[in-house]
Every structure is written in C-alpha cells, then in structure tokens.
Amino acid sequence: MARPATDYRERIDELAARAARDRATFEPPPNPPDEERAMAFLREGLGPLVVLYLDARTADEAVVFSDEELARFHRATNDWLALYARCYGVSMEPDATIRKAAEVLVGTDDIRATAQLLTHVPAPTG
C-alpha cells in the first residue's frame, strides 16, 4: 500500500525554496574555483535533498510523490548543481532528475563525486 508524501511535503518545500533563493542571490566567485562554497551547496542543499528522497524511497511503506513534488525535487536538484558548477566558473543548466542523483549517490557514497558525475565539473583530468 502506498502512502502520499504528506510527511515529506514541508521539507521538500523548504529545500526547494532555499535552492531557488540561493540561485537568485548567487554572486559568482571573482576567482573560481571556490571549492569551499561549492561543497557548502552540496552539504547543505543537494545532499539533504537527495537523502530526503532516499528516505522516502526506502521507507517501510512506499511513498508516492505528486507530479508537483517531483517537479520541486527536480528544480532544486538542478538549482544546486548549477550553483556547484558556477563555483567552478562554469555556467550551465543541468537536467538531472532526483532519482538519477539518488542512484549516483548510492553508487558513490560521496556527494561531491555525485555532483562531478552529474555536471562533469570540474572536468576529469588525465
């Protein structure tokens, strides 16, 4: 039996609003990369967002997200990935789903590696 995502809605709203606010007020670093700031966006934004999604997907009872909730997850995921890239001097509009971000995080167990794999920023060396 699936249950609605009401237990998660408030947290999704908070994280999505913060992502939008962070993106709207972002000032690019004068001398990229700003790795510390990039990591802050991942630790305080993308990481908690992906963990929230994973918590819902691994709950005892399946959680069903509405199209609107999934759209907010999607927008916040890409807002934080875009901010991460901008900290490296790269302007981009990522298009990663929350599900893909979650799959990559589970596979890497590293939010920085997740962002690198989803954005290709910084570019791989060698």
Side-chain angles (χ1 to χ4, degrees):
M1 178 91 176
R3 67 182 172 136
T6 52
D7 296 349
Y8 296 88
R9 189 168 296 131
E10 184 177 317
R11 189 73 178 128
I12 295 167
D13 290 346
E14 288 171 8
L15 290 165
R18 186 163 24 128
R21 191 172 46 253
D22 286 353
R23 191 152 187 197
T25 61
F26 181 78
E27 292 290 330
N31 298 306
D34 185 342
E35 293 184 5
E36 185 176 318
R37 201 158 133 202
M39 286 305 301
F41 285 127
L42 299 180
R43 278 192 308 271
E44 298 167 17
L46 184 63
L49 185 74
V50 174
V51 167
L52 179 66
Y53 178 82
L54 286 169
D55 285 347
R57 289 297 185 227
T58 58
D60 289 338
E61 251 184 90
V63 174
V64 178
F65 291 110
S66 69
D67 289 343
E68 182 181 329
E69 289 159 341
L70 287 171
R72 286 198 305 269
F73 265 126
H74 185 77
R75 181 71 260 145
T77 298
N78 291 295
D79 281 345
W80 274 312
L81 288 172
L83 289 167
Y84 164 84
R86 292 288 309 273
C87 288
Y88 284 89
V90 177
S91 183
M92 67 183 318
E93 288 299 324
D95 190 24
T97 64
I98 187 68
R99 179 181 175 157
K100 180 65 176 176
E103 289 170 353
V104 174
L105 182 61
V106 167
T108 63
D109 198 31
D110 183 329
I111 193 64
R112 181 182 202 157
T114 298
Q116 287 173 322
L117 289 167
L118 293 173
T119 63
H120 306 289
V121 174
T125 57

